Amino acid sequence: RINLRHMEKMMTDINKYRNISLTHEVYSKLDKLSKVITPGIQLSKAKTVEALVSDRIANPHKQNGWRNDDNR
C-alpha cells in the first residue's frame, strides 16, 4: 500500500521547479561543464545550468570563446 503523505513529502515542489529535456549530446557536454565551472567542485546538472544562466544574465555580451553559431 502506498502512503500518499510520504509520497507528497518526497515529490518535487512543482511550484518551485521546472523540467527541461536535453539531447544526449548536450547532456554529455553539461556533465563536462559541471566539472570545470568551479575548479575543484563538481556541480550538479541543475546547478550547472543555474550557474550558466545566471552568468549570461549578468554578462549578456560575454562570449567565453563561444560563437553564437558554434555547435561544439
Side-chain angles (χ1 to χ4, degrees):
R1 199 163 97 172
I2 298 175
N3 182 341
L4 293 179
R5 288 184 195 260
H6 180 68
M7 289 295 291
E8 287 175 359
K9 290 179 184 176
M10 292 175 38
M11 295 176 66
T12 302
D13 181 353
I14 61 171
N15 296 309
K16 188 174 179 182
Y17 298 99
R18 298 294 304 252
N19 253 351
I20 60 170
S21 295
L22 305 170
T23 64
H24 291 277
E25 180 184 3
V26 172
Y27 188 87
S28 177
K29 291 176 183 180
L30 185 61
D31 187 53
K32 290 176 185 176
L33 284 171
S34 73
K35 297 171 185 169
V36 298
I37 287 180
T38 53
I41 301 171
Q42 182 173 355
L43 298 176
S44 68
K45 308 294 182 294
K47 286 295 180 187
T48 302
V49 171
E50 190 176 314
L52 291 169
V53 170
S54 294
D55 182 62
R56 183 52 63 129
I57 295 296
N59 304 291
H61 301 294
K62 186 176 177 182
Q63 291 298 312
N64 291 332
W66 293 70
R67 296 188 336 246
N68 289 337
D69 61 341
D70 196 349
N71 290 326
R72 285 187 271 176

